[in-house]
Amino acid sequence: MPENIPIHRLKDMPVFGGLREDIVKLILEGSHYVEREAGEPFFLEGERGDSSFIVESGSAALFKVSSSGEQYKIRAFLPGECFGAMALLGVYPRSGIVKAMEPCRAVEIKADQLFSVYQADPEQYVLIFMNMARDLSRRLRDTDDQLVECLEERQQSGLKTIP
């Protein structure tokens, strides 16, 4: 289990909201820290995703690459926030690149640890996935708002909107 992370601090993070302390400990038993310097990726788009990450210190950001090769920053992740959950929930390859924006330390939670939660307590397993889904739903709402802003800017500049 990663040292120096008090369980009560993790329980305050949205992804662990409502989970019992013994379940949080079970999840962390097989976890480890992943540290990246500024600009280093945690993962690349298209890679197989079998884990999610919770930022412990520093920050990271999600980038998408356009057809012209331009990288666009989509979202930042600050301490306590989770990234990589889409690969766990959807069993799809990684949907973008997540890079450290500054020296960043994150706890990596593998799918195997979540399966051990399922074996120990299916109710708690459902709760952690509901927490991840709620977080993704909030982000989708934010993305919808950003899209509308972009469309309005496009329309005001005289460009056609997306059909």
Side-chain angles (χ1 to χ4, degrees), residues 8-102:
H8 70 275
R9 182 168 169 212
L10 287 174
K11 288 184 68 171
D12 290 339
M13 295 177 178
V15 73
F16 293 117
L19 292 177
R20 294 190 321 260
E21 188 170 315
D22 63 309
I23 295 297
V24 174
K25 286 180 182 176
L26 179 63
I27 292 168
L28 292 178
E29 279 178 5
S31 298
H32 64 279
Y33 281 121
V34 177
E35 296 184 18
R36 297 289 186 266
E37 292 300 320
E40 289 183 327
F42 281 91
F43 52 76
L44 302 174
E45 187 168 355
E47 289 181 345
R48 180 177 173 269
D50 66 347
S51 63
S52 63
F53 298 81
I54 300 170
V55 177
E56 197 264 334
S57 65
S59 64
L62 169 66
F63 292 84
K64 290 290 285 182
V65 179
S66 71
S67 57
S68 66
E70 183 90 21
Q71 280 193 18
Y72 291 96
K73 182 179 171 184
I74 305 298
R75 176 176 207 299
F77 301 101
L78 302 173
E81 293 186 305
C82 179
F83 62 87
M86 282 176 54
L88 290 178
L89 291 168
V91 194
Y92 289 107
R94 300 288 188 188
S95 65
I97 302 165
V98 173
K99 297 191 267 189
M101 298 307 294
E102 60 187 307

